[in-house]
Amino acid sequence: MKALVLAGGTGSRLRPITHTSAKQLVPVANKPVLFYGIESLVAAGITDIGIVTGDTAPEIEAAVGDGSAFGARVTYLAQEQPLGLAHAVLIARDWLGEDDFVMYLGDNFVVGGITELVDGFRTRRPDAQILLTEVTDPTAFGVAELDADGRVVGLEEKPAAPRSDLALVGVYLFSPAVHEAVRSIKPSARGELEITDAIQWLVDEGRTVTPTMISGYWKDTGNVTDMLEVNRSVLERVEPARLGTVDESSELVGRVRIEAGARVVRSRIVGPAVIGRNSVITDSYVGPSTSVDSDCAITGSELEFSIVLGGSRIEHAGRIDGSLIGRGVQVTGVQRAPRAHRLVLGDHSLAQLTA
């Protein structure tokens, strides 16, 4: 069994962060979202992985390499334009051959992995297996309609008038039957080959399409709110460690991980939280659900429920909450301390904050 991981796309909902970085490489608990997906595939016994890339291909390839760091073998498949999920299957046809495969969206996050799902597919081997979860806004997703017996009868991509609240999770399992399906459909009104249309073709042709409701945690990390929520969820399971230095005037409370080379000086860290390698926290408070990446400096500030990417500096900025701060950012305060700020800053930004 192989895996097809989709790591293209523009990441428009995460701009300005994704103006200079692939959305799949934005870190959650200081590790790129894409890495969690690859690790879950390897844990399920799938080590032959094809990664579909777009404009950010050099960055993705530099981060993942040949896959050996994950115990996998990675092949890169170029998609010149983001023409839909079914188009990704189309361009991967020769590489996929006649193998069953998992298609995994590289910016999706499934807590607990997919091992049980993969084992079930291998045992029952339907033509396709889709994962579904109830959502409050089905218009933002591919949506499935089931009949009274729980069989899939209809699928639609981002419908204006959804016929159900069951969204397709970004993990699909296919037999080689899907290749005929993707060759048989036409581009949608969006100009894309939709995977929902391909699965609908399988349904219409009487093929076996098995729906599975997932009760665990799933997020599409395509926007800032979901990215922060996934960060919070992952940090809840962080292993506490004090690999860096913490002076006697500082306090660590709860699940806090201080990476090697990091320093905490006259500060209070309340977990779950991670302070990355060689970062320095001075005269500051870092609160729950916060990850600070490597080579950052937090001075005279308060930070909570936030993600700070590598090489950023936050100095005398008052309180920052619910924020995603890019790489190489400088946030500096003024004389009057502000109550709170909510920020989404792109890489190499300079922000000066007033009350």
Side-chain angles (χ1 to χ4, degrees), residues 316 332-338 353-355:
H316 307 290
T332 60
V334 293
Q335 290 183 350
R336 290 184 298 171
L353 308 177
T354 58

Side-chain angles (χ1 to χ4, degrees), residues 56-76:
T56 59
E59 189 178 3
I60 297 290
E61 293 181 23
V64 177
D66 63 2
S68 58
F70 302 91
R73 180 174 63 255
V74 168
T75 301
Y76 294 98

Side-chain angles (χ1 to χ4, degrees), residues 135-143 156-159 162-167:
V135 295
T136 55
D137 181 16
T139 63
F141 302 95
V143 175
E156 193 174 2
E157 187 66 29
K158 297 182 174 62
R163 294 191 293 267
S164 85
D165 63 352
L166 299 178

Side-chain angles (χ1 to χ4, degrees), residues 85-107:
L85 304 187
H87 181 259
V89 176
L90 200 62
I91 66 169
R93 178 67 179 93
D94 290 343
W95 179 79
L96 288 167
E98 295 303 312
D99 292 311
D100 295 343
F101 67 98
V102 177
M103 185 168 74
Y104 197 115
L105 274 59
D107 60 352

Side-chain angles (χ1 to χ4, degrees), residues 101 116-133 144-147 149-155 166-169 171-175 177-178 198-204 206-214:
F101 67 98
E116 185 177 344
L117 296 165
V118 170
D119 289 344
F121 181 85
R122 283 171 164 153
T123 299
R124 294 184 292 272
R125 204 166 179 272
D127 293 300
Q129 183 172 347
I130 58 175
L131 310 187
L132 304 175
T133 190
E145 181 183 6
L146 308 183
D147 65 14
D149 296 320
R151 293 187 295 256
V152 179
V153 294
L155 299 103
L166 299 178
L168 279 78
V169 172
V171 180
Y172 309 78
L173 298 97
F174 292 118
S175 77
V178 75
I199 300 169
Q200 182 70 59
W201 186 92
L202 291 172
V203 172
D204 294 341
R207 304 296 182 92
T208 304
V209 177
T210 302
T212 300
M213 294 294 299
I214 64 168

